[in-house]
């Protein structure tokens, strides 16, 4: 009897509120596109960090954020001004909300999409490396609305795969432009 009561309480307070959430208001940390008067959910994917290295005498290595799948299921036409919203966040980013979100252009292959953030080469008498954790960043306009939501405007994106995320987060919201 106690077990049934505990399960019932768990369902009431944990699962049912999530099930009943409206699609009209984006949730904190969730990015959605505005299409007309509706919100379009973007593909939510977790980026993994992968690295590859190889060579003899001259060795090379790279590290990348990577997402499975060649293309995002959510597609937009090229030449459009795209507008996205993120639900209200409790995080404080100072006066400039543009530090709260990054839009990246991804390189697509047949199996995955990625943003390379580190390249290195080692020679017999030296080495060279570069790291950019904001690799592939695309300029966008980010504003905070009165209700706490972030509005992200991306004008004239070229064809390709893109992802929105927190600057150093691994939870990415992906879409493509055709």
């Amino acid at each position: 009897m106690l077990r049934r009561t505990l399960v019932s309480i768990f369902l009431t307070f944990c699962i049912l509120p999530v099930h009943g959430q409206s699609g009209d208001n984006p949730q904190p940390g969730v990015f959605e596109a505005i299409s007309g008067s509706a919100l379009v959910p973007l593909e939510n994917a977790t980026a993994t960090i992968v690295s590859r290295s190889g060579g003899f005498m001259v060795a090379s290595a790279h590290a990348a954020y990577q997402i499975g799948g060649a293309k995002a299921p959510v597609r937009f036409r090229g030449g459009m001004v795209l507008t996205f919203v993120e639900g209200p966040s409790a995080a404080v980013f100072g006066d400039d909300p543009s530090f709260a979100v990054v839009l990246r252009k991804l390189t697509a292959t047949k199996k995955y999409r990625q943003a390379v953030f580190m390249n290195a080469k080692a020679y017999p008498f030296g080495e060279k490396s570069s790291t950019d954790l904001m690799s592939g960043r695309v300029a966008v306009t980010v504003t905070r609305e009165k209700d706490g939501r972030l509005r992200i405007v991306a004008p004239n994106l070229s064809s390709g795969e893109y992802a929105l995320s927190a600057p150093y987060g691994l939870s990415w919201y992906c879409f493509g432009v055709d």
Side-chain angles (χ1 to χ4, degrees):
M1 182 68 174
L2 179 62
R3 185 178 201 177
R4 183 177 288 170
T5 304
L6 290 175
V7 169
S8 168
I9 291 171
F10 175 77
L11 289 173
T12 302
F13 290 107
C14 296
I15 295 176
L16 294 179
V18 172
H19 178 71
Q21 290 174 349
S22 167
D24 295 337
N25 295 318
Q27 300 304 308
V30 175
F31 295 92
E32 295 178 302
I34 297 176
S35 179
S37 62
L39 294 177
V40 177
L42 301 177
E43 172 193 17
N44 184 4
T46 301
T48 56
I49 297 175
V50 298
S51 62
R52 292 192 173 81
S53 62
F56 178 72
M57 294 298 288
V58 175
S60 63
H62 79 268
Y65 299 113
Q66 194 173 87
I67 297 170
K71 287 186 169 188
V74 179
R75 313 295 298 173
F76 298 101
R77 289 179 314 184
M80 296 174 52
V81 174
L82 299 176
T83 304
F84 305 92
V85 292
E86 179 196 17
S89 176
V92 177
F93 297 100
D95 293 335
D96 190 358
S98 64
F99 291 119
V101 63
V102 62
L103 174 64
R104 301 174 198 272
K105 183 162 186 178
L106 306 175
T107 305
T109 68
K110 291 181 181 180
K111 294 183 180 180
Y112 55 84
R113 295 159 279 168
Q114 72 178 7
V116 176
F117 65 84
M118 190 277 298
N119 285 304
K121 284 203 175 201
Y123 306 97
F125 298 105
E127 57 87 29
K128 174 171 74 169
S129 68
S130 65
T131 302
D132 179 12
L133 296 176
M134 296 296 164
S135 168
R137 188 173 192 156
V138 176
V140 294
T141 303
V142 182
T143 55
R144 185 173 300 277
E145 297 182 344
K146 289 180 183 178
D147 60 1
R149 296 188 303 174
L150 293 180
R151 178 178 293 270
I152 302 106
V153 178
N156 301 324
L157 296 176
S158 61
S159 297
E161 300 298 314
Y162 294 87
L164 278 164
S165 71
Y168 302 105
L170 295 178
S171 182
W172 289 16
Y173 291 84
C174 306
F175 64 95
V177 176
D178 295 325

